[in-house]
Amino acid sequence: MTAGADRAARRGRSQRYRPAFVLLLVGLLAAVFLVRLADVQVVHAESLRDESKDRRSITSVLPGPRGDVVDADGTVLATSVTRWEVTAVPWIAAKAGRVDVHATAIATALGLDPGAVRTALTADPKADYALIAKQVTADDLERVKRLDLGWLYYRAVSKRTYPAGAVAGNLIGFVGADQQPQAGVEYGWNRCLAGQDGEAVSESALDRTPIPGTEAVVKPARPGGTVRLTIDRDLQYYAQQVLAARARETGARWGAVVVSEVRTGSLLAVADWPTVNPNAVATTADADPGALGSRAFTAPYEPGSTMKAITASMLLDAGLATPRTRVTAPYRLRTADGADVNDSEQHGDERLTLTGVLVQSSNTGLSQLGVRLDDAKRYAYLKAFGFGAPTEVGFGAEAAGDLGAGAPDWDAQSRLATMFGQGLTTSAVQMASAYQALANRGVRLPVRLVASCTDADGVRHPVTTGGARRVISAKAATSTVRMLENVATKGWLRDFVRIPGYRIATKTGTAQESDGRGGYAEGYLVSLAGIAPAESPRYVVYVVLDAPSRMNTSQATAPVFQKVMSRALQAGGVVPSGRSSPDLPAGW
Amino acid sequence: MSTALAYDTVRRPNSVLPAPLQPAPVAAPPAPRRAAVPVAAPVARTRVVAAAALVGLAACFVGAQLVLSIGTAQGAYELAALQQRSDVLTRQQQSQQEALRSLAAPQRLAAKAAALGMVPDDSPAYLDARTGRVLGTVDSTAGTAAAPGGITR
C-alpha cells in the first residue's frame, strides 16, 4: 500500500501544481497576444492602417448637387440631372468570354458604335478599367443593366440642364464641360448654387470595385441652394420672341428689351438678341461671342433722346421750368462758347413748350432750357438716377457707363450733348431704371434680378440691395410722365405705340453711334422707353435695337414696345385706364 | 483498491445515490474518505441538471441565433431589393420630370399651340362691363409665333 500512497501523494502534488501551470501558460499566451496587440495597434498602427486602406478600401465622392435657378413663380430654369458613366473591367470581360457578342449588345443598348465598344474592351485585355460611355441617360442605363454583365460598372455624374433652353439664357448663364459656372447668374451666384461634395469609403473587391453594402459615409454631401429670380419666364419668352422677330425684320446688329416693375424695381424680363442657348453654348460662342452674356447689362452706348425726359425732369424738380415753359427752337443752335447742335430734321424756328420739346424731340429746344441747370447739379441728378455706376444687380461684366470726359466739367459741346443723350453712355438696364424712378413718383428703387437664395435647409435669404432713394420730387416726376403721355399721343409714332384702353407715356431715342475714333459711325442706335398705365404706373418697358439696316428710326422699336407692354399689362391683370391722357400744350 | 473512483461522480453516479437513504447506525465505520460521499451526492445531481440546462440553453441560443440571422438575412435581401426598386423608381421619376420640364418650356408649348392653329394675341381687347364698350379691336392677328427668328429650342 505504500507505493499506492506515494502515487496518490504525487498525484495530489501534481494536482495542486496543475492549475498554477495552466495559469502560467495562459498568462504567457496573454502576454504574447498583448505584445502583438500593442505592436499592431500602437507601434505599427499608422503604416498598417495606410496599407490596409490602400489595399482594401475605395474612397468615393458623394455628389452634392448644384442648386436650381427658378423664376419668380418657382418655375425651374436651370437644374441638375443625373447621368451615368459606364465603365468595364476588361480582364474579367476577357475571362467571361464572348466579348464580341457582349460588345454588340452594349452598343445596341447605349446607341453606340459596336466597333468602338469592342475596341474599348479589347485594347488592353489585362486592364482593370475601360470607359465605355459618358452621359448615359436613365433609360439607356436600364437597358444596359438588363444585359446583366457583372463586369460593367456605373457611376452617377451630375449634369447641368436648362429646361427652357434659350429662354433667359442670357441671364442664367451656363456651365463649362467641367460643370463649373462660366457666365450669368450661374457664375455670379455660384456661392449660393454650388453644392459641397461628400466622401464615402467602401471595401474593395479583387477588381478594385466597391463591395456593395460596405459603403460608409465619411462626410455627407451638401446640396446647393436655390436662386429665385425676379424674372417671369413667360413674359421673358414673349419679349425674346418679339425682339428676335423684329430684330431680324429690321436687320439690327443686336437688341435688348428690359421690363421693370415700377413698384419693386424688379426686372420681370431682360431679353437680348442674339441670345445664348445654355444647352448649346458652342453654337453661340462660334457665331457671336458677345451674345454669351447679356448686352442689356454689359453693352454701354450713347442712349440718345430717351435722356431728354430725364433732363426735363431735373429742370422741373429744380423749379427751373414747367411743362408749359416756352422756348423758340431753331434747326441749328450755335452758342457763344462754341457749341453747335442741330435737330434731326430741317425745320424753321418752332415755338415750343417743354412738352413740345419732348414731343418734337428738339435738341436745340432742350439745350436752351437745359443750360438753366448748373452742370454740377445735373451731374448729381444723373448719378442719383443711377447713371455712371453699375446697377445693384452686379451682373458679370456689367457696364457702369461713362458720363462724358471731365464730367461734370463738360466742354461746351458735351455739356449740351449730354442733355439729349449723346457724349455719355449707359446700359439698357440703367436707362430702364431711370424711367422706373420717373414712374415711381421720383423714387428710384434698387434694380433687382435675384429675389432670394434658399439654402439646402430651406432657409430663405432675401437679397438686400440697399434702400430706395428719392431722386426728384413726386410732383416733378408726375409732371414728366404727363409730358411723356403727350409724346405718346402726339408724337410721330402715336399709331404704333398705342395700347387700347391704357394711358401710356413714351419717349424715343435715335442716337448716333460712336465709331470708336472720336467721331460718329453711319448706323443709328434706336430705342424707346415707355411707362404704363400712365395714371398709376406699373411697368417700364425699354427697347433698344442697334443699327437696324432696314429701318433706321425708332419706329423699329415701336411694335416691340407695344406688344411687350400689352402682354405685361395683360399678364399683370392691370385694369384699363378708362380715360384718355391729359392734353398739354406743345406749342405757343 | 483505489478510492479515487469515489470522486468520479459523473462516471458512477448510481453507486452513491442510495447512500443518504440508508442510515447506518450499526455499520462499521467506513474508510474516512467514504464519509464524503453522502455530501457529494446532491452536488453531483445539481451539476448534472445545471449542465443539461446549460447545454439546452446553448442549443436554444444557437437555434434562436440561427432563426434571427436567417430572418435578418431575409430582411437584408428584401431591403436590398426594395432599395433597388426605389432607386429605379427615383431614376424614372427624375427622367419623367426632365421630360415634363422640357415639354413645358414656353417655346415648345407655343409650337404645339401653333400646330393646333392657335396664334398669340398681341393686341388684347377688353369689354367694359359697365358701359358695354369694347376697348381695343378684336382683329385677327398673324401672331408672333409665326414670325421667323424666334426661339425654337
Side-chain angles (χ1 to χ4, degrees), chain A residues 498-522:
Chain A
R498 182 179 297 131
I499 300 174
Y502 294 99
R503 280 168 59 179
I504 59 164
T506 61
K507 183 72 196 83
T508 57
T510 308
Q512 288 178 291
E513 293 192 84
S514 165
D515 62 2
R517 295 187 297 275
Y520 283 109
E522 282 282 303

Side-chain angles (χ1 to χ4, degrees), chain A residues 76 79 81-84 138-139 141-142 145 163-167 233 237-238 240-242 244-245 248 277 280 283 500-502 563 566-567 570 576, chain B residues 1 88 91-92 94-95 98 101-102 104-111 120-124 126 133 135-137 143-145 147-151 153:
Chain A
V76 174
T79 187
V81 292
T82 312
R83 291 288 184 268
W84 284 267
D139 294 348
L141 180 77
E142 285 310 310
K145 273 191 165 177
V167 179
R233 185 194 64 168
Y237 163 73
Y238 187 75
Q240 279 186 253
Q241 202 74 337
V242 171
R248 291 205 174 210
N277 178 352
T283 335
Y502 294 99
K563 287 176 179 176
S566 297
R567 180 57 61 95
Q570 199 184 1
Chain B
M1 187 187 132
V88 170
R91 279 204 292 273
Q92 275 177 6
Q94 282 177 355
S95 152
E98 205 183 323
R101 278 181 181 157
S102 150
Q107 61 270 42
R108 290 186 187 84
L109 284 178
D121 184 10
D122 290 333
S123 50
Y126 298 91
R133 229 160 36 97
L135 294 166
T137 50
T144 309
I151 301 160
R153 61 185 190 134

Side-chain angles (χ1 to χ4, degrees), chain A residues 323 353 355-356 358-360 479-492 494 504-506 534 581-586:
Chain A
T353 60
T355 308
L358 293 179
V359 172
Q360 300 295 333
S479 297
T480 308
V481 173
R482 294 289 167 272
M483 289 196 287
L484 295 183
E485 279 191 75
N486 279 264
V487 177
T489 53
K490 295 174 186 162
W492 69 287
R494 56 188 173 272
I504 59 164
T506 61
S581 298
D583 185 19
L584 297 175

Side-chain angles (χ1 to χ4, degrees), chain A residues 5 25 66 79 134 150 175 279 286 299 307 366 391 394 480 488 532 554 567 574:
Chain A
L25 216 64
R66 196 171 170 76
T79 187
K134 280 179 171 180
V175 298
N279 287 326
D286 293 343
M307 187 57 92
L366 190 80
T391 67
T480 308
S554 47
R567 180 57 61 95
V574 180

Side-chain angles (χ1 to χ4, degrees), chain A residues 350-365:
Chain A
E350 288 179 318
R351 296 197 290 180
L352 303 171
T353 60
L354 180 56
T355 308
V357 165
L358 293 179
V359 172
Q360 300 295 333
S361 201
S362 168
N363 294 340
T364 57

